[in-house]
Amino acid sequence: MMTAFEIIRALAHDATVGVIITDTTILPPGPVILYANEASGRLVGRNLQDVIGRNPRIMQGKETRRSTLDTCHRALIAGERFHGYLTNYREDGSKYRVEIDCRPLRAADGRIENFVAFERAVTRRIGRPTVSAAGRYETGLVSDDPLTSALRELAIFKHG
Ligand SMILES: Cc1cc2nc3c(=O)[nH]c(=O)nc-3n(C[C@H](O)[C@H](O)[C@H](O)COP(=O)(O)O)c2cc1C
């Protein structure tokens, strides 16, 4: 039987949404990145060879909010989904806003085998701020590859 990791990897290969799969080590040196698709390489501005084997903290910088990371950490520890908006940094030091949905992948017996994150770039909406975080951001291209369509059906992202 295919694991969730294998199924997602097969779908993610040419998806336009960034997909990152890690092991289950929450504390440094984990979570170790085991798989990252091409779109995530473009998103994080790094070669995939430089991402595999590292942990996602390499994307963080001065303006990455600690309180959001604490929320993420607590969700990972509890085996729950984390959805949020983070400021990430590319290898060249430029920053970008990213919407991230991170969740545990469980085996049939409930054991967590991996974590997966779906990530896409968002920009701040011009104009009056709204109450919800989702309303403050908009995404660029809406695309129709199978994984992006599936994520939309599942309402993984907040809009678009
Ligand atoms: C699959 C996956 C993808 C992640 N992607 C990012 C990311 O793009 N940017 C980021 O700042 N943190 C990301 N994280 C969160 C960090 O790895 C880490 O969990 C977070 O910094 C909180 O833990 P800490 O308090 O030990 O730093 C990701 C975590 C997982 C499991």
Side-chain angles (χ1 to χ4, degrees):
M1 203 179 70
M2 281 176 98
T3 62
F5 180 163
E6 289 163 340
I7 295 167
I8 290 173
R9 185 175 51 188
L11 283 168
H13 181 67
D14 40 39
T16 53
V17 59
V19 179
I20 293 172
I21 299 176
T22 68
D23 72 0
T24 58
T25 322
I26 292 168
L27 296 177
V32 176
I33 298 175
L34 303 175
Y35 170 79
N37 69 346
E38 296 286 342
S40 76
R42 290 193 293 275
L43 180 67
V44 307
R46 290 168 194 270
N47 292 323
L48 293 181
Q49 311 88 271
D50 302 334
V51 170
I52 310 293
R54 310 287 301 278
N55 75 55
R57 291 182 200 84
I58 58 172
M59 270 91 91
Q60 298 169 7
K62 225 172 65 196
E63 290 175 34
T64 310
R65 270 178 71 183
R66 190 60 243 177
S67 59
T68 311
L69 296 175
D70 289 343
T71 307
C72 174
H73 175 85
R74 281 194 300 271
L76 296 183
I77 292 283
E80 287 167 2
R81 170 186 186 235
F82 165 76
H83 174 274
Y85 300 86
L86 281 165
T87 299
N88 270 356
Y89 290 77
R90 302 186 186 91
E91 192 165 34
D92 67 9
S94 59
K95 64 181 178 193
Y96 56 98
R97 233 17 218 168
V98 68
E99 179 178 12
I100 172 169
D101 178 290
C102 185
R103 54 184 66 211
L105 296 176
R106 294 178 187 276
D109 63 5
R111 216 168 19 88
I112 297 176
E113 291 183 315
N114 297 97
F115 291 106
V116 63
F118 302 105
E119 310 197 7
R120 64 177 187 177
V122 291
T123 50
R124 264 178 206 283
R125 213 179 267 284
I126 314 247
R128 199 143 58 96
T130 54
V131 275
S132 77
R136 280 200 294 274
Y137 297 105
E138 57 193 343
T139 168
L141 268 186
V142 177
S143 62
D144 276 317
D145 61 83
L147 182 63
T148 307
S149 304
L151 296 177
R152 193 178 302 134
E153 303 247 313
L154 294 167
I156 293 283
F157 292 128
K158 293 291 176 183
H159 47 79

